[in-house]
Amino acid sequence: MEYVALIHADQSVWETMTDAERGAAYEQYGEFADAARAAGVLVGGEELSSTASATTVRVRDERRLVTDGPYAEVKEALGGFFILDCASFDDALDWAARIPAVHHGAVEVRPVHVDPEA
């Protein structure tokens, strides 16, 4: 079954890192991705651009409303995701615990919805 691991972190921490610190963080994420790929559980994943580049769309009373910025003001913003194909939810949690963001943010794990009719 596939699970999405949503990476939430304090964006200001990333923005205050030195280039060397960011490079080390990217190396840790690369090591995680390599291990998950080698284990056959990595389906995909991507880093997201800063929330400063976000635009939110809503439709209210048949009108499209477009707002610059993320959906809500939050300290920890969605920064990226991995899609993991694991045998169980516990396995997905074990892999999520290896994502570097768990040390300074949070990783939310959710099963990917499977439509039984599809």
Side-chain angles (χ1 to χ4, degrees):
M1 177 166 210
E2 290 184 355
Y3 300 87
V4 64
L6 302 168
I7 301 164
H8 298 272
D10 184 340
Q11 192 170 288
S12 67
V13 172
W14 184 259
E15 293 167 353
T16 60
M17 286 178 156
T18 66
D19 288 342
E21 289 170 330
R22 274 194 221 100
Y26 278 126
E27 189 172 313
Q28 290 174 337
Y29 279 98
E31 289 168 1
F32 168 81
D34 290 344
R37 192 175 297 109
V41 300
L42 183 63
V43 175
E46 294 295 332
E47 176 183 4
L48 300 176
S49 295
S50 164
T51 58
S53 68
T55 300
T56 301
V57 178
R58 297 174 178 84
V59 174
R60 301 292 186 270
D61 298 320
E62 305 299 319
R63 289 190 40 221
R64 183 180 76 172
L65 306 171
V66 178
T67 307
D68 289 338
Y71 174 72
E73 291 295 322
V74 293
K75 182 176 180 180
E76 292 183 340
L78 181 62
F81 66 92
F82 287 104
I83 300 172
L84 307 170
D85 189 2
C86 298
S88 70
F89 188 65
D90 285 338
D91 288 345
L93 293 177
D94 289 342
W95 278 101
R98 296 172 65 178
I99 296 172
V102 298
H103 299 288
H104 57 83
V107 176
E108 176 184 351
V109 179
R110 290 192 205 175
V112 174
H113 176 73
V114 177
D115 184 351
E117 304 291 320

